[in-house]
Amino acid sequence: MSVLVTGGAGYIGSHMVCLLIDGGEDVVVLDRLSTGFREAVAPAACFYEGDIADRGLLRTIFSKNAIETIIHFAGSITVPESIADPLSYYENNTVNSCVLIAAALEAKVPYFVFSSTAAVYGTPENAGPVAETAALHPESPYGTSKMMTEMILRDIAAAYDFTYTALRYFNVAGADPHGRTGQSTAGATHLIKVATEAALGKRNGVEVYGTDYPTPDGTCVRDYIHVTDLANAHLKALQRMRAGGRSIIANCGYGRGFSVLEVLDQVKAVSGVDFPVRKGGRRPGDPVSIVANPTVAMQELDWKPQYDDLSVIIRTALIWEDRLPTAPCVSDARRML
């Protein structure tokens, strides 16, 4: 049996592919390469270039491969872009996911892991870590499009022999500790990626979007999770469903937050570079503060984070950034930690 990883040439997907192959799984990757890279896909994986909305291609993949599980990363992920172009987000994240789910049902694929987001919560109503039972108030089309796909999965699981796990990501950062892959997308907007580029002289500084939020230093607060820990949560979800576990939704974060300025100070400390920081106005769609309550993931998935250290997250990101544009997923991986 094989695992189909959609978006497996992207940042998180490429880490997932490496982890699955490390565990002896047969892996099939589907990616249209709009933001991912063919060279990021581990050589042992079977690769198809194409879109998850291509029904003919999906039938071909399912007919030629004994797919048991789909891990669905493919999608659009930028909050400001979703506000400027909402229709494309509803099409790519919701409509196209529906096509993929329908193809999975047709092929009788029993297990599905969905890449969701903490953006479904918006700014939580109550202070403190947010649990999966919190009210959903997405503040961007990105968050809404993911919430809608979660609802589709819920209804499909109630009607068919189909089990899913939706993992709500908090802020993903860092790179593979073995040096095989990392975040390589040009023009990325993730804070730690942008800050490491500034530290290495690839940008002329970092702009902070909003310094008047009701937080200790006026900047937004986020829960940062290492990408390898996140990939491992998907593996745990897969193992749990294979063992008969029911459909669940789980947060993926560490349960503590750092402000934008705290992250930038830490990048400066780890890199030893005092790059310029410019303070600007707020950006639409940004929640004030959001931190995970990861209890469900830890208890239901038996998930045990290994890289819960902001300096480690930043160091792996810096090492990877310094290697670019070297090809990712190299075979002669070396230990970095």
Side-chain angles (χ1 to χ4, degrees):
M1 303 300 288
S2 300
V3 178
L4 172 62
V5 181
T6 70
Y11 171 42
I12 305 171
S14 63
H15 286 82
M16 186 76 250
V17 170
C18 289
L19 187 61
L20 288 167
I21 290 172
D22 288 347
E25 300 280 353
D26 291 325
V27 180
V28 178
V29 171
L30 172 60
D31 199 302
R32 67 184 185 182
L33 302 181
S34 58
T35 57
F37 300 88
R38 177 65 182 88
E39 62 269 22
V41 180
C46 174
F47 179 76
Y48 292 87
E49 182 176 350
D51 198 288
I52 60 170
D54 186 335
R55 291 173 172 81
L57 177 57
L58 290 173
R59 290 192 181 99
T60 297
I61 292 171
F62 290 128
S63 67
K64 292 187 175 181
N65 303 275
I67 305 296
E68 175 216 34
T69 304
I70 297 171
I71 303 181
H72 178 32
F73 295 103
S76 304
I77 62 169
T78 307
V79 169
E81 182 182 62
S82 79
I83 292 171
D85 186 13
L87 190 59
S88 70
Y89 271 68
Y90 291 120
E91 180 178 13
N92 196 30
N93 290 352
T94 308
V95 176
N96 292 354
S97 291
C98 195
V99 172
L100 176 65
I101 294 165
L105 291 175
E106 182 181 276
K108 300 188 185 317
V109 175
Y111 308 129
F112 196 99
V113 185
F114 176 53
S115 165
S116 192
T117 172
V120 298
Y121 297 116
T123 298
E125 295 175 349
N126 301 313
V130 61
E132 293 81 359
T133 53
L136 305 184
H137 296 296
E139 298 177 20
S140 67
Y142 165 58
T144 304
S145 66
K146 290 287 191 175
M147 181 184 71
M148 292 169 70
T149 304
E150 283 190 15
M151 296 169 69
I152 292 168
L153 288 167
R154 178 200 63 195
D155 294 343
I156 292 297
Y160 298 91
D161 182 14
F162 181 85
T163 305
Y164 75 94
T165 302
L167 299 179
R168 291 175 178 166
Y169 305 174
F170 283 66
N171 283 49
V172 188
D176 176 46
H178 301 283
R180 294 172 294 184
T181 187
Q183 192 169 23
S184 305
T185 307
T189 59
H190 296 80
L191 177 62
I192 290 178
K193 167 74 170 177
V194 169
T196 57
E197 289 177 340
L200 292 169
K202 299 181 180 182
R203 291 179 183 253
N204 61 3
V206 177
E207 183 169 0
V208 176
Y209 297 104
T211 58
D212 60 347
Y213 287 97
T215 61
D217 64 15
T219 63
C220 292
V221 173
R222 298 289 184 269
D223 187 337
Y224 293 86
I225 177 174
H226 193 282
V227 63
T228 299
D229 278 338
L230 179 61
N232 190 51
H234 291 72
L235 182 60
K236 291 288 188 178
L238 168 58
Q239 293 167 345
R240 179 183 172 279
M241 289 189 294
R242 284 175 173 170
R246 60 183 173 83
S247 296
I248 61 168
I249 294 172
N251 289 332
C252 288
Y254 293 146
R256 56 197 176 117
F258 296 91
S259 73
V260 172
L261 294 181
E262 286 175 326
V263 171
L264 294 177
D265 286 344
Q266 188 75 350
V267 174
K268 290 180 179 182
V270 174
S271 66
V273 178
D274 186 15
F275 49 84
V277 174
R278 298 179 293 275
K279 297 180 179 180
R282 294 188 182 191
R283 185 172 58 178
D286 281 340
V288 176
S289 175
I290 185 162
V291 176
N293 178 338
T295 302
V296 171
M298 290 179 172
Q299 292 182 351
E300 293 284 344
L301 305 182
D302 191 29
W303 177 60
K304 298 179 177 65
Q306 295 180 281
Y307 303 103
D308 181 5
D309 185 319
L310 184 60
S311 65
V312 170
I313 293 172
I314 290 168
R315 183 152 63 94
T316 59
L318 274 166
I319 292 171
W320 177 257
E321 190 64 44
D322 194 41
R323 292 184 56 198
L324 293 177
T326 343
C329 272
V330 294
S331 57
D332 56 337
R334 62 188 180 89
R335 187 71 177 171
M336 290 186 177
L337 294 177

